[in-house]
Amino acid sequence: MNTQNQLNQNENLKQLIKKIPKTDLHVHLDGSIRLKTLIDIAQKEKIELPCYTVDGMNELVFKDDYQNLEEYLKTFGYSCAVMQNPDNIERIAYEMAQDNQLEGVRYIEVRFAPQLHINKNMDMETVISSVNKGLLRAQNEFNQRPEIVSGAEPPFYYGIIVSALRSFGGYSEYYANFIKSLLYSDMKTLTGICSLELARGAVKIRDELGIPIVGFDLAGAEKGNPAKDHRQAFQYAHQNFMAKTVHAGEAYGPPSIFQAITELYAERLGHGYFLFDTTKFEDNRIQDKQEYIKKLCQYIADRRVTIEVCLTSNLQTNPSLKKIEDHSFKKMVEQKLSTTICTDNRTVSKTTVTDEVLLALRSFDITIKNLKNIIVYGFKRSFFQDSYIEKRKYVRQCIDYYEKIVQNTVLQD
C-alpha cells in the first residue's frame, strides 16, 4: 500500500470514529479547559500565568510528557485559579460539553472537586449549580437539532461526578478555612471529614435541586493516601443511592484496587493501570502475588466492575511505561474485562475521545466486535441519571445508531 492510500485509510478511520456515538466517563472539568479560555480569563482577572499564549502554555505547563503523576497534577493549579466565580465555571462547563459534541460524544460524566472552587463568594451549591448550568445549556442547544428531535440520532446527555481528594493542603480557600477550624485533628482525619462533608452536600443538592449528580469519586495521589481514609464518605454516598467510582491502580497496585472495590463500594475504577503489576504490593503478607491478581481479576470480571482506561494520560504520568503497546489495557481486553476508553483531561493530555479510540485501535489487537463492546460498555456502565427503563432505551438508540454508521461506511467502501 502506498503512502497516499495509507493516509486516506487513516483519515477514513478517523472520520468513522468521530461519527460513531461515544462516551467519556472519566473526564475532569478543570483538566479540560480550552487554553484560549484559560488565558482570556486570566488576563481579564489579572491572574498570573507563566505566559499568555497557547504555544507558551503548552511548552511550559501543559507538556507532552510529565515526570510523574505529581507533576501532572500541578497543572491544575492554573486551571483552578480561573474557576473561582460562577460565570467562569459555567462558561468552562459549557465549552467542554460543546467540544465533546463536536467529536460525536453523546454522553459525558464530568468530574471535579467543588472544594477547590468554594470561596467567600461561592458555596458548594453555587459551584455545582454553575457547572450544571453550563452543561444543561449545551445539552439543550444540541438536542434542539432536527436530527435529534426526529429521533434519527441519539441526544446528548451528561452527569456530574463530585470528587473527594485523597489529600489536601492550603491551596484553596475552603481547605485553608477547614484546617483552621479543626486545629486538633491530624491531616488524615481532616481529609476524611472533608470527604464526608462533600458526600452530604452532594446528596442534599442532588435531592433538593434535581441536579444530576450521578456519582461520587476519589481522586489525587495514591501514594501515602489510602482509600480507606475516606470510607465514611463513601458509606454515606452508598446509603443514599449514589454511584461510586474511585481513582485506583493509577500509581499503586492491586491492593489499592481491591480496597477501592471492597471498602469504598466502587462500581467503576479510574485507570486501573497497575492491575497486573506484581511489584506494586506493599502488604508483605501477600505471598503469591500472581494468584492474588488472578483472583482480583476474577472478582472484577464477575461483578462487571468497569475500568475507565486513559491511555495517553497513563503514558504521560508513568515513567515506567515507555510505549503505549505495553499498557495493561492489552491484558484487560484479553481477559474480557469491562473497559471504557476515556480522556482523563482533554487539555492537560492534549487529547480527545476520538484520539484515544484511534490510539487503542492502532496499538492493540482490537477487532470490530471488541471495539463495539468497548463503546457500548461506556453507555451501559454509565451512571445515567434517569430510570433504568429510560437508560435501556437510550443505550439501544446509541447501539442502533452505531451500527447504522458502521454499516453505511462499509457499504461506501
Side-chain angles (χ1 to χ4, degrees), residues 1-13:
M1 183 184 297
N2 62 40
T3 303
Q4 187 58 49
N5 286 339
Q6 283 185 323
L7 289 173
N8 290 339
Q9 281 204 359
N10 287 339
E11 185 58 31
N12 289 341
L13 179 60

Side-chain angles (χ1 to χ4, degrees), residues 290-397:
Q290 288 288 3
E291 182 65 18
Y292 182 94
I293 291 171
K294 179 182 176 181
K295 289 180 178 179
L296 177 59
C297 287
Q298 184 67 42
Y299 191 86
I300 290 170
D302 283 343
R303 287 153 185 80
R304 304 314 288 158
V305 175
T306 296
I307 302 171
E308 304 155 355
V309 176
C310 307
L311 296 171
T312 299
S313 173
N314 293 156
L315 190 61
Q316 291 175 319
T317 60
N318 290 305
S320 62
L321 181 60
K322 302 301 182 185
K323 57 181 182 176
I324 198 64
E325 290 80 6
D326 293 333
H327 194 286
S328 56
F329 179 58
K330 180 181 179 181
K331 287 186 178 180
M332 295 176 192
V333 173
E334 289 172 351
Q335 298 203 15
K336 302 189 184 304
L337 299 181
S338 175
T339 57
T340 181
I341 295 174
C342 309
T343 59
D344 198 12
N345 300 285
R346 296 173 68 95
T347 301
V348 180
S349 289
K350 301 178 185 176
T351 192
T352 65
V353 178
T354 301
D355 290 337
E356 293 300 297
V357 173
L358 284 170
L359 181 60
L361 288 173
R362 290 166 178 163
S363 306
F364 306 99
D365 185 20
I366 297 177
T367 65
I368 295 297
K369 184 178 180 181
N370 285 151
L371 175 62
K372 181 182 175 182
N373 287 340
I374 291 167
I375 296 295
V376 172
Y377 280 146
F379 289 102
K380 285 187 173 182
R381 296 297 290 154
S382 68
F383 299 151
F384 194 72
Q385 63 163 318
D386 215 329
S387 68
Y388 180 64
I389 292 174
E390 291 303 314
K391 178 179 179 178
R392 282 178 63 93
K393 289 179 182 177
Y394 181 58
V395 172
R396 185 69 258 171
Q397 187 181 9

Side-chain angles (χ1 to χ4, degrees), residues 232 249 258 276 288-289 361:
Q232 198 173 358
F258 182 72
F276 304 98
D288 192 337
K289 296 177 176 58
L361 288 173

Side-chain angles (χ1 to χ4, degrees), residues 162-173:
V162 294
S163 298
L165 298 179
R166 288 178 182 265
S167 64
F168 62 80
Y171 50 78
S172 83
E173 194 172 313

Side-chain angles (χ1 to χ4, degrees), residues 82-295:
V82 301
M83 297 175 68
Q84 297 302 315
N85 71 56
D87 290 342
N88 292 350
I89 291 176
E90 180 180 342
R91 173 186 175 181
I92 289 163
Y94 173 74
E95 292 176 348
M96 178 195 185
Q98 283 189 317
D99 291 342
N100 277 274
Q101 291 165 353
L102 286 170
E103 59 153 328
V105 177
R106 296 301 168 109
Y107 181 81
I108 56 174
E109 287 179 359
V110 181
R111 64 182 70 192
F112 63 100
Q115 317 89 288
L116 300 181
H117 314 290
I118 294 172
N119 54 50
K120 61 183 178 182
N121 299 313
M122 288 197 300
D123 57 12
M124 188 186 300
E125 183 179 310
T126 304
V127 173
I128 294 175
S129 294
S130 298
V131 172
N132 186 60
K133 283 180 184 177
L135 296 173
L136 183 60
R137 178 156 60 97
Q139 174 184 287
N140 289 342
E141 288 176 3
F142 185 87
N143 291 346
Q144 288 172 7
R145 297 182 180 189
E147 61 270 28
I148 306 298
V149 175
S150 68
E153 294 186 13
F156 172 87
Y157 292 123
Y158 69 91
I160 291 172
I161 295 176
V162 294
S163 298
L165 298 179
R166 288 178 182 265
S167 64
F168 62 80
Y171 50 78
S172 83
E173 194 172 313
Y174 176 76
Y175 280 151
N177 291 333
F178 206 87
I179 293 168
K180 289 178 184 177
S181 300
L182 297 165
L183 295 174
Y184 304 106
S185 297
D186 59 44
M187 292 303 290
K188 283 188 178 293
T189 302
L190 284 172
T191 54
I193 295 172
C194 192
S195 296
L196 178 58
E197 183 70 7
L198 175 63
R200 287 172 172 159
V203 168
K204 184 178 177 65
I205 293 166
R206 178 198 66 182
D207 294 347
E208 293 186 358
L209 300 184
I211 291 175
I213 304 172
V214 299
F216 195 75
D217 173 40
L218 181 64
E222 286 177 271
K223 186 176 182 180
N225 304 300
K228 64 183 180 181
D229 291 346
H230 306 266
R231 186 190 296 116
Q232 198 173 358
F234 279 81
Q235 177 74 26
Y236 186 87
H238 189 63
Q239 290 173 339
N240 284 276
F241 303 102
M242 184 171 284
K244 285 81 54 191
T245 177
V246 175
H247 285 68
E250 182 179 16
Y252 265 34
S256 177
I257 292 171
F258 182 72
Q259 190 177 100
I261 298 170
T262 58
E263 299 202 36
L264 301 191
Y265 311 99
E267 295 147 87
R268 297 200 318 243
L269 296 168
H271 298 281
Y273 172 72
F274 286 111
L275 172 61
F276 304 98
D277 198 319
T278 57
T279 68
K280 295 289 183 177
F281 282 76
E282 287 198 322
D283 191 342
N284 295 325
R285 294 173 298 178
I286 301 172
Q287 297 297 317
D288 192 337
K289 296 177 176 58
Q290 288 288 3
E291 182 65 18
Y292 182 94
I293 291 171
K294 179 182 176 181
K295 289 180 178 179

